[in-house]
Amino acid sequence: MKKEIVSTDQAPKAIGPYSQGVKAGGFLFLSGSIALDPATGEMRQGIEAETEQVMKNIGAILAESGLTFADVVKTTIFLTDMANFATVNGIYGEYFKENPPARSTVEVKGLPRGATVEIEVIAVLG
């Protein structure tokens, strides 16, 4: 199976040995996104601001591949505090108003750069 790396400067650069996204087997697999502002490299603060930035970062990588949130088939949300679930869910829901993807949400002990939310995505290609 052939794979193609996806990268855009409209989303944060990888902070480790991974790609922003990889196209393979008819799908686009996005690495987990945290609330790094691509222009400054700084973390957004507060659960609402973090979640909005994460979704913008995901949208930028999808757009680089010619896709939208409508092409997303699976997401995984990682939260450091499940008490933030309702807030994250509300913002997330604004991006998936119709036919939302399958999703898992899990609480984790910690995330990179002190993030409180991270979201990874799988989308189907054209």
Side-chain angles (χ1 to χ4, degrees):
M1 172 179 13
K2 190 173 178 181
K3 70 179 184 178
E4 177 185 340
I5 303 302
V6 175
S7 181
T8 176
D9 61 4
Q10 299 301 305
K13 294 187 183 333
I15 57 175
Y18 61 89
S19 300
Q20 290 174 330
V22 177
K23 290 180 183 178
F27 293 94
L28 172 64
F29 300 88
L30 271 59
S31 293
S33 182
I34 58 174
L36 289 172
D37 182 318
T40 65
E42 299 297 317
M43 282 289 297
R44 299 287 305 273
Q45 299 298 312
I47 191 63
E48 294 92 353
E50 280 192 59
T51 306
E52 284 289 352
Q53 187 65 55
V54 167
M55 298 306 287
K56 287 178 187 176
N57 293 345
I58 290 168
I61 302 167
L62 289 169
E64 182 67 22
S65 297
L67 303 175
T68 69
F69 284 96
D71 299 301
V72 174
V73 294
K74 172 70 169 81
T75 65
T76 304
I77 300 175
F78 303 94
L79 298 172
T80 59
D81 186 346
M82 201 56 85
N84 289 326
F85 178 82
T87 301
V88 172
N89 196 52
I91 295 166
Y92 172 97
E94 291 299 313
Y95 291 83
F96 297 108
K97 292 185 183 226
E98 292 184 16
N99 303 313
R103 179 181 81 185
S104 302
T105 304
V106 295
E107 184 176 63
V108 296
K109 183 176 179 180
L111 292 168
R113 304 280 299 265
T116 60
V117 59
E118 180 175 358
I119 302 175
E120 66 179 23
V121 168
I122 301 171
V124 66
L125 297 169

